[in-house]
Amino acid sequence: MVSPVIVVAGVDLSPLNERVVRRALDEAARRGAELHVVYVFHPPNPAIAAYGIPLADIGDLAQMERRAVWEKVGPMLEGSGVAVRQVDLDGYPPDMLVDYVRRVDADLLVVGTRGRGEMASLILGSTSHRAIQLAPCDVLIVKPPPVPG
């Protein structure tokens, strides 16, 4: 039996989200693939409690973020003609996306880049950079539109 072709798209609440979903839908349709749209909630550092946010509220925060992501993404997926699976995970986004890609034996991972530059990415981390390094499949990086000027 032939394994299904799977495209995985990593989504979040960034302004680039819509471009990522559109490119992933295009790739899935072109390949005759199933699209797995994955949101990874990254729990804040426990030190955040020092700022007065109780750790018990993290579950509520995760639920609110998930709801916000799927409210934005859901309408883009409806009527696309592509088989879609929505997936929620918790953890460090680049590692969780790569683990998921491995688990489902995906053919392509689609993620966005904020284009912060090398120094900011070095300090803040970069999901797209880490995905390129670790993913066992091809990775499509969706960039923001060029700034006119």
Side-chain angles (χ1 to χ4, degrees), residues 1 10 18 23 27 31-32 34 54 62 80 82 90 94 96 106 124 137-138 142 147-149:
M1 182 171 172
E18 183 174 344
R23 287 299 303 272
E27 285 297 320
R31 297 166 184 247
E34 182 175 294
S80 67
V82 171
D90 293 321
M96 296 304 295
L124 301 171
C137 62
D138 290 338
V142 179
V147 177

Side-chain angles (χ1 to χ4, degrees), residues 19-130:
R19 287 175 65 98
V20 169
V21 172
R22 298 276 179 229
R23 287 299 303 272
L25 281 167
D26 289 347
E27 285 297 320
R30 188 175 68 75
R31 297 166 184 247
E34 182 175 294
L35 175 60
H36 295 205
V37 183
V38 180
Y39 169 68
V40 181
F41 174 72
H42 187 199
N45 186 313
I48 199 162
Y51 292 101
I53 299 173
L55 292 178
D57 291 345
I58 290 176
D60 292 339
L61 177 62
Q63 187 176 14
M64 288 185 333
E65 281 191 21
R66 285 187 181 105
R67 188 176 316 118
V69 166
W70 297 122
E71 283 175 0
K72 284 176 75 173
V73 172
M76 290 185 274
L77 303 174
E78 293 171 7
S80 67
V82 171
V84 175
R85 179 182 301 177
Q86 295 177 334
V87 180
D88 287 312
L89 301 172
D90 293 321
Y92 182 56
D95 292 351
M96 296 304 295
L97 284 170
V98 168
D99 288 346
Y100 186 81
V101 162
R102 282 191 181 113
R103 190 169 58 235
V104 300
D105 194 26
D107 298 273
L108 178 69
L109 172 60
V110 181
V111 293
T113 181
R114 290 185 174 93
R116 290 187 291 227
E118 289 185 37
M119 185 55 84
S121 291
L122 178 66
I123 295 167
L124 301 171
S126 167
T127 296
S128 58
H129 180 75
R130 192 155 171 86

